[in-house]
Amino acid sequence: MVHEYEPQVMIGSETATEIGCATTEEADHDAPPLAHPRPAHAPAAATVAHRGRGVVGAADGRVVEHFQWLATHDWAMVTAVTETGTVLVERCFKPGIGRLALLLPAGAIDAGEAPEAAMRRELLEETGYAADDWTALGSFRLDPNYGVSTGHLFLARGARRVAEPDGRDLEEIEVVELALGDALAAARSGELASMGSAACLALAALVLSPS
């Protein structure tokens, strides 16, 4: 059974994904499946995506019933530039695309955690690097139609190795250092596989090389 919503839930409302949600297991069978269902080996607790249907109001006053949305954790991502000027990227297997890929360091934001604090934590856990010079590059909805999540993008300069990576994640991560030009080339070729990584890197490049 999927919960019904009140008419005041509007497109773009920050509370729209916080009320009356149905988990993927609870959603009715005629709703389209999630694009990337939980892998068979993952524990049930790993399911963090929710979807539902509601009554939403369009800007011109029209009412759309049974509008479907999808909500996952908000996340943060960083273009981390080392003291020698290289960009930290991670090579790891991503089940959503079924192959090894390059991505920028990123991670989910815990409840009550500020986006920059979350990204500082994730950078240290995933790579063993820390940085003191942080610049916010912007916050963006992954899909303005269906909501999904908000990504908070950062540039960190002067990154230095201060510890070993945490290693407790399900992913096996190889940390790679690339020159900025090589990282941008990887984004253009699709080797840097996520839209968020490409956007974060491009925005960082505008700050690092404004001309």
Side-chain angles (χ1 to χ4, degrees):
M1 174 181 176
V2 175
H3 298 279
E4 295 294 327
Y5 304 99
E6 298 299 327
Q8 65 264 27
V9 180
M10 304 296 288
I11 292 176
S13 167
E14 290 302 316
T15 61
T17 58
E18 298 173 358
I19 62 173
C21 60
T23 65
T24 54
E25 287 80 6
E26 294 169 343
D28 55 348
H29 296 296
D30 64 342
L34 292 173
H36 303 293
R38 185 180 75 244
H41 65 272
T47 300
V48 295
H50 295 78
R51 68 180 179 190
R53 290 176 172 171
V55 180
V56 298
D60 61 5
R62 288 175 299 132
V63 173
V64 182
E65 297 195 26
H66 307 299
F67 189 90
Q68 296 192 40
W69 54 263
L70 175 69
T72 64
H73 279 303
D74 289 345
W75 48 277
M77 178 173 281
V78 67
T79 298
V81 181
T82 68
E83 294 174 321
T84 59
T86 58
V87 176
L88 296 177
V89 298
E90 300 173 352
R91 180 181 287 115
C92 57
F93 180 82
K94 304 307 288 186
I97 57 176
R99 64 175 174 86
L100 285 170
L102 295 179
L103 301 104
L104 296 182
I109 300 172
D110 292 339
E113 192 175 27
E116 183 180 318
M119 194 59 252
R120 286 175 179 265
R121 172 180 55 77
E122 290 284 352
L123 180 64
L124 181 61
E125 290 176 357
E126 293 183 356
T127 70
Y129 279 74
D132 298 322
D133 184 0
W134 286 72
T135 302
L137 300 174
S139 300
F140 305 90
R141 294 295 278 188
L142 188 59
D143 188 328
N145 274 329
Y146 300 104
V148 186
S149 63
T150 297
H152 304 272
L153 309 183
F154 294 93
L155 166 64
R157 284 173 277 198
R160 62 202 182 279
R161 185 74 174 267
V162 297
E164 291 297 318
D166 187 287
R168 291 181 296 177
D169 205 322
L170 292 176
E171 302 169 320
E172 293 185 10
I173 296 173
E174 177 189 0
V175 179
V176 181
E177 294 185 34
L178 296 178
L180 177 60
D182 292 337
L184 290 168
R188 288 191 293 268
S189 70
E191 188 180 7
L192 196 71
S194 78
M195 184 185 301
S197 292
C200 187
L201 181 65
L203 289 169
L206 291 175
V207 176
L208 295 168
S209 304
S211 59

